[in-house]
Amino acid sequence: MSSLRNAIPRRAHKERAQPHARKKFGLLEKHKDYVLRAQAFHKKEETLRRLKEKASFRNPDEFYFKMINTRTVGGIHRPKSEANEYTQEELMLMKTQDIGYILQKVQSEKKKIEKLSSALHSLDNQPSNRHVYYAEDREEAKEIQSTSSQMSNSPAFENVPNRIKKKTSSSYKELEARKKRVQELEKLYADMALQKELQKPGRKRKLLEDERVSPTTKPVYKWRAERKR
């Protein structure tokens, strides 16, 4: 019976709009708007209840190091600044370790690219089988030559199974992705090496565009020649 009751078409009761006399108060709140407002209100109410419960069970003797390492600014906890925590020598050592890791990843990616390229090259350049035919006369030789030319014109890639085709295409996609990754890592390595050199002592200045030998978009610096003792 319930299925038959639901099959009967019913009239969709629409909610009324804001009366013309009350247009100055904006849109009339619908039931779905009330549901969202009620859910937000109850969520805030539950959060306040949990905070009150947590505060009531708080141990007055508890201690955390964050209590002395942070400060409150406008009701928000600000951690202690760690800008001057490391010395210049320690920063240079960390920068060197980071550059070494990036260089190691570049070399690893290049080895993988070389291995993958050699595998794909050997797969694409497989030697075709050669057959030697013997004919009794010229007519038979012409017939054999026409047949062999038709067989050679047919693409060899069509005889490859679909599984091998999909694997080859995925390998080419992987090769392109690894080449792109190597370019990004090399760019990152160059930027980190430049930042490391800029942290070293010595007078230097940034060259202007008309002072550069070769045009480039990257900044170029020139160090002042110092006499070594």
Side-chain angles (χ1 to χ4, degrees):
M1 294 297 294
S2 60
S3 60
L4 293 177
R5 189 183 304 114
N6 294 332
I8 299 174
R10 299 177 182 178
R11 180 181 178 184
H13 296 279
K14 300 181 180 179
E15 299 183 26
R16 68 182 180 89
Q18 184 75 282
H20 184 72
R22 296 176 55 87
K23 286 290 185 181
K24 59 181 179 180
F25 297 109
L27 298 174
L28 182 64
E29 185 185 42
K30 303 297 190 294
H31 178 71
K32 60 179 182 180
D33 302 328
Y34 162 75
V35 170
L36 294 176
R37 185 166 56 85
Q39 289 177 354
F41 173 77
H42 289 302
K43 185 178 180 180
K44 294 176 183 178
E45 192 178 32
E46 181 65 19
T47 303
L48 291 175
R49 187 191 64 80
R50 289 183 180 180
L51 290 175
K52 289 179 181 178
E53 182 181 0
K54 192 174 182 180
S56 63
F57 288 109
R58 185 181 64 86
N59 183 9
D61 298 330
E62 66 181 349
F63 172 77
Y64 300 101
F65 283 100
K66 287 290 184 180
M67 295 180 179
I68 59 177
N69 293 335
T70 58
R71 58 195 182 98
T72 305
V73 179
I76 301 175
H77 288 280
R78 301 291 185 183
K80 186 178 179 181
S81 177
E82 300 179 357
N84 300 325
E85 184 177 358
Y86 303 101
T87 60
Q88 191 70 17
E89 290 78 11
E90 292 174 345
L91 291 175
M92 288 288 294
L93 178 61
M94 289 189 292
K95 188 77 71 175
T96 304
Q97 293 175 352
D98 295 340
I99 293 177
Y101 174 75
I102 296 297
L103 182 60
Q104 180 184 0
K105 295 299 291 182
V106 169
Q107 294 174 352
S108 176
E109 289 292 332
K110 285 185 177 180
K111 288 182 179 179
K112 292 179 181 178
I113 288 174
E114 183 179 359
K115 184 177 179 181
L116 190 59
S117 300
S118 61
L120 292 174
H121 181 72
S122 61
L123 182 63
D124 292 338
N125 297 333
Q126 288 183 354
S128 59
N129 297 327
R130 298 183 61 185
H131 298 276
V132 180
Y133 299 95
Y134 297 95
E136 295 292 338
D137 50 5
R138 293 181 179 275
E139 298 295 333
E140 188 178 358
K142 290 181 180 179
E143 183 179 356
I144 293 175
Q145 187 177 4
S146 62
T147 307
S148 61
S149 62
Q150 291 177 2
M151 293 177 60
S152 61
N153 291 334
S154 62
F157 194 71
E158 293 181 356
N159 301 327
V160 180
N162 293 330
R163 178 175 56 86
I164 304 299
K165 291 181 181 179
K166 292 181 180 178
K167 190 173 182 180
T168 305
S169 61
S170 62
S171 299
Y172 275 111
K173 291 180 181 179
E174 181 184 357
L175 181 62
E176 294 298 327
R178 290 191 180 277
K179 287 182 178 180
K180 185 177 180 181
R181 177 174 171 79
V182 166
Q183 293 178 358
E184 294 175 355
L185 288 175
E186 287 179 346
K187 181 180 179 182
L188 180 61
Y189 175 78
D191 295 340
M192 294 178 67
L194 177 61
Q195 295 297 327
K196 180 185 175 183
E197 293 295 329
L198 292 177
Q199 289 182 355
K200 292 182 179 180
R203 298 184 62 181
K204 50 190 171 293
R205 68 182 183 89
K206 184 177 180 181
L207 297 181
L208 301 177
E209 294 184 0
D210 53 352
E211 296 178 345
R212 300 174 186 176
V213 178
S214 58
T216 178
T217 57
K218 296 183 179 181
V220 180
Y221 295 87
K222 181 179 181 181
W223 273 259
R224 182 178 179 182
E226 296 183 358
R227 182 179 180 182
K228 303 295 183 181
R229 294 183 180 179

